[in-house]
Amino acid sequence: MTPRGKQTVRDLRRSSRSTLLRHLYFHGPLSRQELGTATGLSAGSVSNVTGELLADGLIEECGSVDSDGGRPRILLRVAPGQAHLVGIDIGETQVRVTLFDLALTELASADQPLLAAHDPERVVRMIASGLDQVLAAAGVPAENVLGIGIGVPGIVEQGTGADPGADTVVHGQTFGWDAVPFGRMLREHTPLPLYVDNGAKTLGQAEMWFGAGRGSRHAVVALFGSGVGACVIADGVRFRGATSSAGEWGHTKVHVGGRPCRCGSRGCLEAYVGAEALVERWDGTVPGTSEKAGLAALLRAAEDGQPSAVALLDEAAELLGASIADLVNLFNPERIVIGGWAGLLLGPRLLPAIGEAATRYALAYPRSRTTITLSDLGPDAVTLGAATLPLTHFLDSGGEMPDHLAAVAAV
Amino acid sequence: MTPRGKQTVRDLRRSSRSTLLRHLYFHGPLSRQELGTATGLSAGSVSNVTGELLADGLIEECGSVDSDGGRPRILLRVAPGQAHLVGIDIGETQVRVTLFDLALTELASADQPLLAAHDPERVVRMIASGLDQVLAAAGVPAENVLGIGIGVPGIVEQGTGADPGADTVVHGQTFGWDAVPFGRMLREHTPLPLYVDNGAKTLGQAEMWFGAGRGSRHAVVALFGSGVGACVIADGVRFRGATSSAGEWGHTKVHVGGRPCRCGSRGCLEAYVGAEALVERWDGTVPGTSEKAGLAALLRAAEDGQPSAVALLDEAAELLGASIADLVNLFNPERIVIGGWAGLLLGPRLLPAIGEAATRYALAYPRSRTTITLSDLGPDAVTLGAATLPLTHFLDSGGEMPDHLAAVAAV
DNA sequence: AGACGTTAAATCTCGGCGTGAAGTAAGCAG
DNA sequence: CTGCTTACTTCACGCCGAGATTTAACGTCT
């Protein structure tokens, strides 16, 4: 309990720049006038700071609006092409690299299949080549990229040094990665700033920025796929915990000592309601089908009234509801968003039962303050959320360019 | 996702004052010299700010230390008698009001028994009279009290207005309080600033400031008493959630659909390992004994090898370990502290088994970064933790006196 | 005793910040 | 063209922290 307050000199400027930039980013084109009233800064300061941002090329003027009788307002917006972002999704079956502009519109994308072998070295090489591909395809020079956000499976241990991304270590049980120095390996292929986080967490970020989580400051994004994970947002910021592995919801117990789970423990939620577990437990599964096909078949069977399928899905809804109730009790969020490909598939059928079960299992007061909704983002959101990581840094720093961008920005 | 960002002018000074005050508070008497290097502020600024704080009477000089050959260092410390704090514990059986000085040394205390009736109006009157008693006993004028911290059972809904304490609403299931406008009722008896929170949370605060949680920024304080609760600290700050009811660990499920719990749900942790549940479930309990006596008897029987007692405690350790594993997975803390009167009683016997079970049930990586320890604070810590609430506000604001104190501080 | 070295603290100068008032730009109505 | 309204810019002011300089308060050495 000896928290930090640091010294501050012209961090005021950084803070002002950050505030204005953020506001412009999220609330579309605005005049300096509106910016001032919205952020609380005086008109003089807004003029000053926007002038600086304009000179840096980070924002630009875009049209004007008549104001009855007086001088028209000049609208400002973030210059979308001034810098770029890369988002990468390392999934179970492929590595996807996507290049975005500052407004997060997709410019180019490169997919590379990832078969049985998940050798880290090979994945890193695929990232490097994917990076070259998208930059070449869009004609964007590498110096113009603010940073690379990467969503990986497993637990991510963030670095702390001067180049934190390069110190990132990944523990991925499903990939057989044990303390892989992922950041260091990547750093050998690119000098760009690296931001690595768990894929479920980047998906959660996307959900908070552009999906069903928009507008809430306390939320839990529950990712329901082959496994089960969660991304907790507290007060607008992702909850990381001491070593940024917080939110491992899938291995929360629903029946202590129950079904064995692939994590080595027993009774985990994932061992009951993960897509892998559901397909494996259903007696109607045709051996050899893929997980997605198997789950779709299970859903169809349940909709046709096949008793074992109905029972299995009813049980899944009950357990998910109970476990979501735990999240409500522990995190007290305003909103719970159910996402992930299995969540998208089963959600429409299960949501009412899940909500009802959550009401039965959670404490009344926090439950009454929470809404449970389905995600409205596609599965491509992982790369989008990953790109969000360097973007957040960019906005927080008030539009600071990494060192290698200085020359470009000066033009 | 449109977070804050405010205007800032001489908040720098507030921040500097806060930093220095906090550092002096927690790291005992220090010279200006040491303060400078410890906080990163320049010697000039330290001189400036400490001069201001001295003039305000918030800190004082206390002796000096030779520095080989040169001018001796003058030590500074927070002036303990300059202001006072009140901490109140509304427990199941009594209302305890304690007056502290700024250094949180107890000056006076008043207990009032709370029998069957928990009528809110009566509790508020007891608080008012207890307040008068302790102030009179210590000869402290009310104007000299920075604020009143109150730990209550149940869920606390914090106010948001200009006088947040007075808007506090309490939902206390065990007391039969339903949306009691506790803050407003108190405001009729005293003009002092009010800070209300759940008793488990104030106990957790005490643990973080003075107990086993000291020095960690991410911790979970698990309170194990008649019921079960938790206080989550993330990055040095208590995790509140949207309506500050986060951390309701006791009603987390260990067996979905299992034993009925007093909260109305089934399978809650509390329904298995709460002291009330343990005493009720043990076949050796003598009807009519108090909960504490019953639990002590259970413990003695287990130590004598009585099989049903041993089995019950073994199961409790297993379930606690599994549920603590959930906390580890979800919150990823550096430390878990087990407190509460039942925790203190059973802890020494159960701790090894709990730790071992947690290892079996939690993910390996976050578990390896967590230590599980027993509380080292007595049960009186609730009032201490409650007094911590106004103190935190005082330190955060850089030593700002509430309005009614202005006259006193000017002397 | 007095000069000197050493270290702590106070004071001073400097560049930078946001505010708010005063000034300027850019449109409209008559 | 003259006023009038509104948007933006400029500027003087007070305040801030950093860093250099000065003063204070001690030992020690001759």
Side-chain angles (χ1 to χ4, degrees):
Chain A
M1 282 303 288
T2 53
R4 290 287 70 168
K6 297 202 125 186
Q7 72 271 49
T8 0
V9 201
R10 45 195 164 267
D11 304 342
L12 287 186
R13 192 47 145 243
R14 171 184 326 242
S15 154
S16 294
R17 284 176 61 117
S18 175
T19 304
L20 291 183
L21 209 49
R22 269 204 122 84
H23 210 79
L24 272 182
Y25 192 89
F26 288 105
H27 301 280
L30 285 170
S31 70
R32 293 167 233 254
Q33 179 81 341
E34 294 162 311
L35 270 177
T37 59
T39 61
L41 269 73
S42 73
S45 294
V46 171
S47 227
N48 228 330
V49 176
T50 53
E52 222 179 89
L53 291 171
L54 273 168
D56 290 353
L58 299 178
I59 62 176
E60 60 190 19
E61 302 189 337
C62 60
S64 59
V65 172
D66 286 5
S67 67
D68 41 20
R71 174 177 173 174
R73 282 173 288 218
I74 300 172
L75 295 179
L76 299 170
R77 69 165 173 217
V78 175
Q82 182 62 21
H84 298 82
L85 302 155
V86 173
I88 298 178
D89 172 18
I90 303 181
E92 307 255 329
T93 57
Q94 66 171 8
V95 172
R96 183 185 184 85
V97 179
T98 305
L99 178 71
F100 299 92
D101 68 8
L102 259 190
L104 286 181
T105 54
E106 189 175 324
L107 299 184
S109 218
D111 292 354
Q112 298 182 69
L114 200 58
L115 303 176
H118 291 142
D119 174 45
E121 194 56 62
R122 214 168 82 85
V123 170
V124 168
R125 276 198 305 275
M126 290 169 83
I127 289 175
S129 83
L131 199 55
D132 291 342
Q133 284 175 43
V134 294
L135 291 177
V140 169
E143 309 83 59
N144 211 3
V145 174
L146 282 177
I148 302 178
I150 308 177
V152 302
I155 289 178
V156 176
E157 190 178 356
Q158 307 279 355
T160 52
D163 182 7
D167 293 336
T168 306
V169 175
V170 176
H171 309 262
Q173 70 273 41
T174 49
F175 272 27
W177 288 14
D178 182 29
V180 170
F182 196 60
R184 190 142 43 76
M185 293 166 65
L186 278 166
R187 179 53 75 239
E188 287 171 16
H189 290 86
T190 172
L192 294 171
L194 298 168
Y195 302 84
V196 186
D197 208 336
N198 175 287
K201 309 301 190 285
T202 67
L203 189 44
Q205 289 285 357
E207 205 64 62
M208 292 302 293
W209 282 49
F210 306 105
R214 247 170 323 170
S216 48
R217 299 194 61 73
H218 302 269
V220 177
V221 182
L223 278 318
F224 176 26
S226 173
V228 177
C231 175
V232 179
I233 278 84
D235 221 19
V237 178
R238 154 140 140 68
F239 184 91
R240 319 188 80 92
T243 56
S244 72
S245 82
E248 284 293 338
W249 181 44
H251 303 285
T252 275
K253 309 303 163 236
V254 290
H255 286 299
V256 172
R259 268 178 69 85
C261 175
R262 58 180 173 180
C263 76
S265 178
R266 300 177 140 271
C268 301
L269 176 65
E270 185 169 309
Y272 291 86
V273 304
E276 186 180 341
L278 285 178
V279 170
E280 185 191 311
R281 291 170 69 200
W282 184 41
D283 57 16
T285 297
V286 181
T289 51
S290 80
E291 222 165 65
K292 294 198 186 193
L295 197 66
L298 169 60
L299 179 63
R300 272 195 311 275
E303 275 168 355
D304 292 346
Q306 200 257 327
S308 68
V310 169
L312 195 57
L313 289 189
D314 284 354
E315 189 217 51
E318 179 84 3
L319 291 176
L320 273 172
S323 201
I324 284 177
D326 288 355
L327 296 180
V328 170
N329 288 345
L330 287 173
F331 290 109
N332 181 212
E334 297 166 80
R335 202 169 303 173
I336 289 187
V337 180
I338 298 178
W341 64 267
L344 291 174
L345 189 61
L346 300 182
R349 181 187 165 92
L350 297 188
L351 187 60
I354 290 175
E356 197 231 318
T359 305
R360 262 182 289 119
Y361 285 108
L363 292 171
Y365 174 66
R367 174 66 183 97
S368 70
R369 300 312 192 88
T370 307
T371 57
I372 305 177
T373 58
L374 287 182
S375 161
D376 49 19
L377 247 47
D380 282 357
V382 174
T383 52
L384 184 65
T388 268
L389 302 175
L391 179 54
T392 299
H393 179 83
F394 177 74
L395 293 177
D396 281 348
S397 72
E400 185 184 71
M401 295 283 183
D403 287 347
H404 66 276
L405 283 182
V408 178
V411 176
Chain B
M1 283 303 288
T2 52
R4 72 295 87 106
K6 303 185 193 165
Q7 71 270 51
T8 0
V9 201
R10 41 194 166 268
D11 305 341
L12 289 184
R13 192 48 145 244
R14 171 184 323 238
S15 155
S16 293
R17 283 176 63 118
S18 175
T19 304
L20 255 39
L21 208 51
R22 269 204 123 82
H23 209 80
L24 273 180
Y25 192 90
F26 288 105
H27 301 279
L30 285 171
S31 70
R32 293 169 233 254
Q33 181 78 343
E34 296 161 310
L35 270 178
T37 60
T39 60
L41 269 74
S42 73
S45 294
V46 172
S47 229
N48 226 329
V49 177
T50 52
E52 221 178 88
L53 292 171
L54 274 168
D56 289 352
L58 299 178
I59 62 176
E60 60 189 18
E61 303 189 336
C62 61
S64 58
V65 172
D66 286 5
S67 67
D68 42 19
R71 173 177 174 175
R73 281 174 289 220
I74 300 171
L75 295 179
L76 299 170
R77 71 166 171 215
V78 176
Q82 182 62 20
H84 298 81
L85 302 156
V86 172
I88 298 179
D89 173 17
I90 303 181
E92 307 255 331
T93 58
Q94 65 171 8
V95 172
R96 183 183 183 86
V97 179
T98 306
L99 179 71
F100 299 91
D101 68 10
L102 258 191
L104 285 181
T105 54
E106 188 174 324
L107 299 184
S109 219
D111 291 353
Q112 297 181 70
L114 201 55
L115 303 177
H118 289 142
D119 173 45
E121 193 57 62
R122 212 168 84 85
V123 170
V124 168
R125 276 198 305 273
M126 288 169 83
I127 289 175
S129 82
L131 198 55
D132 291 343
Q133 283 174 44
V134 294
L135 291 177
V140 169
E143 308 83 59
N144 210 4
V145 174
L146 282 177
I148 302 178
I150 308 177
V152 302
I155 290 178
V156 176
E157 189 178 357
Q158 307 278 356
T160 52
D163 182 6
D167 293 336
T168 306
V169 176
V170 177
H171 308 261
Q173 70 273 43
T174 49
F175 273 28
W177 288 13
D178 181 30
V180 170
F182 197 60
R184 190 143 42 78
M185 292 165 67
L186 279 165
R187 179 54 76 236
E188 287 170 16
H189 290 86
T190 172
L192 294 170
L194 299 168
Y195 302 85
V196 186
D197 208 337
N198 176 285
K201 309 301 190 286
T202 68
L203 190 44
Q205 288 286 357
E207 204 64 63
M208 293 302 293
W209 282 49
F210 306 106
R214 248 169 324 174
S216 48
R217 298 194 60 73
H218 301 270
V220 177
V221 182
L223 279 318
F224 177 27
S226 174
V228 178
C231 175
V232 179
I233 279 85
D235 219 19
V237 178
R238 154 140 140 67
F239 185 93
R240 317 187 82 92
T243 55
S244 72
S245 81
E248 284 292 340
W249 180 43
H251 303 286
T252 273
K253 310 301 165 240
V254 291
H255 286 299
V256 173
R259 269 179 68 85
C261 174
R262 57 180 173 179
C263 77
S265 179
R266 300 176 139 269
C268 300
L269 175 65
E270 186 169 309
Y272 290 87
V273 305
E276 185 180 341
L278 286 178
V279 170
E280 186 190 311
R281 291 171 68 200
W282 182 42
D283 57 16
T285 297
V286 181
T289 50
S290 79
E291 222 165 67
K292 295 198 185 193
L295 197 66
L298 169 60
L299 180 62
R300 274 196 309 276
E303 274 166 358
D304 293 345
Q306 200 257 323
S308 68
V310 170
L312 195 58
L313 289 189
D314 284 354
E315 188 217 50
E318 179 84 2
L319 291 176
L320 274 171
S323 200
I324 284 176
D326 288 355
L327 295 180
V328 170
N329 288 346
L330 287 174
F331 291 108
N332 181 211
E334 297 166 81
R335 202 169 301 174
I336 289 188
V337 180
I338 299 178
W341 65 266
L344 291 173
L345 189 62
L346 300 182
R349 179 186 166 91
L350 296 188
L351 187 60
I354 290 175
E356 198 232 317
T359 305
R360 263 183 289 120
Y361 285 107
L363 292 172
Y365 174 67
R367 174 66 183 94
S368 71
R369 299 312 193 87
T370 305
T371 57
I372 304 178
T373 58
L374 288 182
S375 161
D376 49 18
L377 249 45
D380 283 358
V382 174
T383 52
L384 185 64
T388 268
L389 301 176
L391 179 54
T392 299
H393 179 85
F394 178 74
L395 293 177
D396 281 349
S397 71
E400 184 185 71
M401 295 285 185
D403 286 347
H404 66 275
L405 283 181
V408 178
V411 177

